[in-house]
Amino acid sequence: MKAPHSIFETVFAFPPNRETLGGTSYFIQTSSGNGLIDCPAWNDENRKFLEDRGGVQWSLLTHRTGKGAIRQVQAEFDCPILVQEQEAYLIPETTRIPFREKHDLGDGIIVFWTPGHSPGSACLYIPEYGGV
């Protein structure tokens, strides 16, 4: 199994996840807390990677196939799930923060609704590294 790799000093990409149709999940470390974008394969190696970096304070689903094992992530780290309101019904019995057009996480970090392959597709913007 491949380990997550660094994209930038505080941005890491997980290997593609079969459970999310080959989607790539990302982990970011910010002054607003550690975030997980979509869900990586849920295994001991990825769990330890997240634990070793201070855990997950919030997670974001960018589209409906990105949820994977998000319930297990939430159970492990007790983190809310940011999700565009049109996708929120797909993860009942979780602690969700639904948003309509955008959600401001502070420090210039913004989640926003955007066209995509599902009705509630979303993107995340962080101002570091010239804007990512």
Side-chain angles (χ1 to χ4, degrees), residues 2-98:
K2 290 184 177 181
H5 66 278
S6 176
I7 304 290
F8 294 107
E9 185 178 337
T10 59
V11 179
F12 301 84
F14 289 88
N17 181 0
R18 289 183 187 186
E19 193 176 339
T20 62
L21 304 176
T24 299
S25 177
Y26 298 89
F27 175 72
I28 63 170
Q29 296 174 299
T30 73
S31 57
S32 299
N34 295 339
L36 185 65
I37 294 92
D38 295 327
C39 195
W42 196 235
N43 56 46
D44 290 337
E45 184 176 0
N46 288 342
R47 181 182 297 113
K48 181 166 177 21
F49 174 87
L50 295 169
E51 287 172 356
D52 290 349
R53 284 155 184 80
V56 178
Q57 283 73 54
W58 54 268
S59 59
L60 166 67
L61 293 182
T62 64
H63 59 289
R64 62 182 52 200
T65 56
K67 66 184 187 303
I70 197 67
R71 286 181 178 87
Q72 289 89 332
V73 171
Q74 188 172 71
E76 180 79 21
F77 295 107
D78 192 29
C79 57
I81 303 165
L82 292 155
V83 60
Q84 204 280 335
E85 65 184 8
Q86 295 178 79
E87 310 279 310
Y89 77 94
L90 295 168
I91 49 172
E93 301 170 8
T94 60
T95 303
R96 302 176 304 274
I97 300 173

Side-chain angles (χ1 to χ4, degrees), residues 104-116:
D104 189 336
L105 285 163
D107 298 323
I109 303 166
I110 300 169
V111 176
F112 55 95
W113 181 34
T114 185

